[in-house]
Amino acid sequence: MATTGSSNKSTDPAMNALRQYTDLYNSHCKDIDAHAPALLNELRPRAFEALQGKELPDTHTEGYERTSLDEMMTPDRGLNIMRLGHSFDLSTAIRCELPNVSTLQAYLVGDTFVPTEGLDRRLPEGVIFTSLARACEQWPDIIKPRLGTLADLNDVPTALNTLLCQDGAVVRIPAGTHLEKPLQIVNVFDGAEPQMAVRRLLVIVEKDASAMILTCDHSKSDTHSCLSLQVTEAWLDEGASLDICDMEETAASNARCSRLYVSQQTGSQLRANIVTLSCGTTRNDMRTDINGEHCRTEINGMAICTDRRHADNCSVVRHLQPRSHSRQLFKYVLDDYAQGAFEGSILVAPTAPYTEAYQSNRNVLASSTARMHTRPQLEIYNDEVSCSHGAATGQLDEQALFYMRTRGIPEREARMMLMQAFMSDVIDSVSIPGLADRLRHLTEMRFRGDTAVCGDCPAK
């Protein structure tokens, strides 16, 4: 495990990947603490204790049968522990702008928050959109009660993130504020060396407030391996509304391990979209706790994988209070030797009668060598509920293809049109203005076999 200015990767083949990181922490804990805010440092002892005797999940671990995080995190990548300055230039950076949409934009270069010019002046009064380090120093009374409270330290990647994290981003929408412009966070890597970014995002939407957030993961190059290990904690207070879209457009060499924890209070509304347009190896985990009545939760996801790329999503919705509604829909299109996995769970507690909860996973295998693993689950401890789940994996409709070809449509074009139609309901669920149109364009490009991503999109 390399750090900026030194190398700590063991040559012992028997050492598991997690041990390399805990050894790194033991060797550099003073440097890590010295370059991080006190509120983050307070969380590290519990995280270190939680990791003792643990290993990163591999394909022998339940729930990870198709994705080994141990293998994902074994390669030697650099960590910017000493917080050395970056060479990132916003004027030449990956362009990530939405046509016909005005966003309030910032970058996370590795884990360093880089605002666009004049960002603070353009924020409504009371709204916080800044680095985690700055927020911890300036608004500790707002940050401390929330930071690290939702994140589950029994989850090894979450505990590892807590152990090593030094920065990230904070979004806070004060009570009664309705943020009209979406906030956009563009995650990128800087430099030409293999890198690891340990990012933390804290989102607080207070009572009767609303916000839209777009996060974009980009990688500029396929010549070196980058790993993002990120944890997001999102608080939706009473009557709050949050629309969050997480998009990934990264290279085949990229690896991503993401955790999203959400807490919903009475009358809150969550709409989340998890979009994988291109990736290397990706594992996304989402856990949504519905802690109040009359909540609405909608989680939609889509993944397009070709070559030997790999996308794995796990979504858990826990209904802990009565009279709430949740819906989950995930769709995959896999081609060549790509692999996909989905594991979804709905839990209805004894304290949650009159719950309505639905989950669906639908997948298309566009080649005979693509593979999909799916496991939807229901865990219900109350009789007064309406719940269902389902999964289906198949190939494109041959009759529809034949019909389209008899009408003069070339086979490749017909296949593209059918795959685009298959994804339409997930794309249509994106509520950020202008983004659904951009997604339609980008998915069409992917299905045509083009490698261009958002930064090169000619739709601008």
Side-chain angles (χ1 to χ4, degrees):
M1 173 56 52
T3 65
T4 300
S6 63
S7 178
N8 291 275
K9 187 169 183 179
S10 170
T11 58
D12 180 1
M15 180 179 290
N16 63 60
L18 182 61
R19 174 71 180 278
Q20 297 178 30
Y21 291 102
T22 54
D23 284 356
L24 170 70
Y25 175 75
N26 279 327
S27 300
H28 296 274
C29 56
K30 291 183 179 180
D31 290 330
I32 292 173
D33 285 355
H35 296 86
L39 292 185
L40 275 176
N41 295 338
E42 291 174 7
L43 303 177
R44 299 192 207 281
R46 287 196 302 117
F48 185 79
E49 182 180 356
L51 290 171
Q52 299 310 298
K54 301 286 185 64
E55 295 184 1
L56 284 161
D58 60 19
T59 54
H60 301 289
T61 307
E62 184 177 1
Y64 292 85
E65 291 83 359
R66 298 299 184 273
T67 308
S68 172
L69 298 189
D70 186 82
E71 181 178 332
M72 177 191 294
M73 298 189 187
T74 294
D76 189 23
R77 302 180 178 97
L79 272 170
N80 189 14
I81 288 175
M82 303 304 293
R83 318 305 297 158
L84 301 182
H86 59 80
S87 59
F88 187 77
D89 184 356
L90 287 179
S91 65
T92 60
I94 292 176
R95 296 172 300 162
C96 193
E97 301 169 352
L98 298 176
N100 306 317
V101 178
S102 176
T103 64
L104 299 169
Q105 188 181 92
Y107 289 78
L108 279 175
V109 183
D111 67 343
T112 301
F113 188 88
V114 181
T116 50
E117 184 177 356
L119 177 61
D120 282 349
R121 297 194 306 270
R122 290 181 285 147
L123 295 173
E125 183 178 358
V127 172
I128 298 172
F129 182 30
T130 190
S131 73
L132 178 57
R134 177 189 175 198
C136 286
E137 297 294 338
Q138 293 194 10
W139 300 281
D141 54 329
I142 294 175
I143 304 304
K144 186 171 183 177
R146 313 264 194 168
L147 182 64
T149 305
L150 297 182
D152 182 7
L153 294 183
N154 291 316
D155 176 68
V156 173
T158 300
L160 181 58
N161 174 283
T162 305
L163 183 70
L164 298 178
C165 180
Q166 293 176 284
D167 206 353
V170 168
V171 173
R172 180 253 186 167
I173 314 298
T177 299
H178 300 283
L179 194 60
E180 295 182 2
K181 292 185 177 181
L183 303 179
Q184 185 179 10
I185 300 173
V186 184
N187 298 319
V188 296
F189 289 93
D190 178 49
E193 299 295 330
Q195 299 176 52
M196 176 180 180
V198 183
R199 305 182 179 114
R200 196 68 169 244
L201 175 60
L202 177 64
V203 178
I204 304 168
V205 188
E206 295 182 355
K207 183 177 180 180
D208 296 326
S210 64
M212 295 176 287
I213 298 175
L214 169 62
T215 63
C216 305
D217 271 23
H218 289 297
S219 61
K220 294 183 179 181
S221 171
D222 202 10
T223 60
H224 55 274
S225 172
C226 293
L227 166 66
S228 59
L229 174 60
Q230 53 198 46
V231 170
T232 300
E233 297 175 285
W235 295 81
L236 279 66
D237 291 349
E238 182 179 347
S241 175
L242 174 64
D243 287 42
I244 185 167
C245 183
D246 182 6
M247 290 177 53
E248 181 182 6
E249 298 176 290
T250 58
S253 61
N254 206 73
R256 166 182 155 119
C257 178
S258 173
R259 272 23 186 187
L260 170 62
Y261 296 94
V262 181
S263 173
Q264 290 188 244
Q265 301 302 318
T266 297
S268 62
Q269 298 186 49
L270 170 70
R271 178 175 288 178
N273 293 88
I274 313 299
V275 178
T276 304
L277 290 172
S278 62
C279 66
T281 300
T282 289
R283 168 75 183 214
N284 298 314
D285 284 72
M286 296 138 279
R287 191 187 77 187
T288 305
D289 287 347
I290 299 177
N291 296 309
E293 298 187 25
H294 305 293
C295 294
R296 295 191 68 84
T297 305
E298 184 175 345
I299 302 173
N300 299 297
M302 59 177 277
I304 303 170
C305 291
T306 57
D307 303 318
R308 295 185 181 274
R309 299 176 188 237
H310 182 109
D312 185 349
N313 288 294
C314 176
S315 176
V316 177
V317 176
R318 305 196 302 185
H319 286 265
L320 306 176
Q321 296 296 326
R323 301 179 181 86
S324 289
H325 176 97
S326 71
R327 176 180 179 271
Q328 302 174 70
L329 173 63
F330 281 79
K331 289 189 170 184
Y332 293 64
V333 173
L334 308 175
D335 204 350
D336 304 321
Y337 291 88
Q339 293 192 44
F342 172 76
E343 182 167 327
S345 176
I346 298 170
L347 182 145
V348 182
T351 54
Y354 312 115
T355 288
E356 296 180 355
Y358 309 102
Q359 179 188 96
S360 178
N361 173 227
R362 298 289 184 265
N363 314 294
V364 168
L365 303 182
S367 72
S368 61
T369 50
R371 295 291 181 266
M372 182 70 199
H373 169 79
T374 182
R375 185 168 68 173
Q377 302 174 78
L378 294 177
E379 192 173 349
I380 301 174
Y381 300 99
N382 198 299
D383 293 332
E384 299 293 330
V385 299
S386 176
C387 298
S388 68
H389 68 143
T393 299
Q395 296 181 327
L396 292 173
D397 188 331
E398 292 295 334
Q399 288 188 337
L401 277 173
F402 177 77
Y403 175 82
M404 295 170 75
R405 293 185 67 186
T406 62
R407 295 299 184 269
I409 301 174
E411 182 177 357
R412 183 183 178 190
E413 187 78 8
R415 289 169 62 85
M416 185 276 295
M417 293 172 65
L418 288 176
M419 289 188 288
Q420 184 82 352
F422 176 72
M423 289 295 194
S424 62
D425 49 354
V426 176
I427 295 173
D428 290 341
S429 72
V430 175
S431 59
I432 296 177
L435 184 56
D437 290 338
R438 169 57 63 89
L439 280 176
R440 270 185 281 273
H441 178 84
L442 291 173
T443 54
E444 180 180 336
M445 293 175 70
R446 290 288 288 121
F447 290 143
R448 289 186 185 277
D450 294 339
T451 57
V453 294
C454 190
D456 305 311
C457 179
K460 291 196 211 180

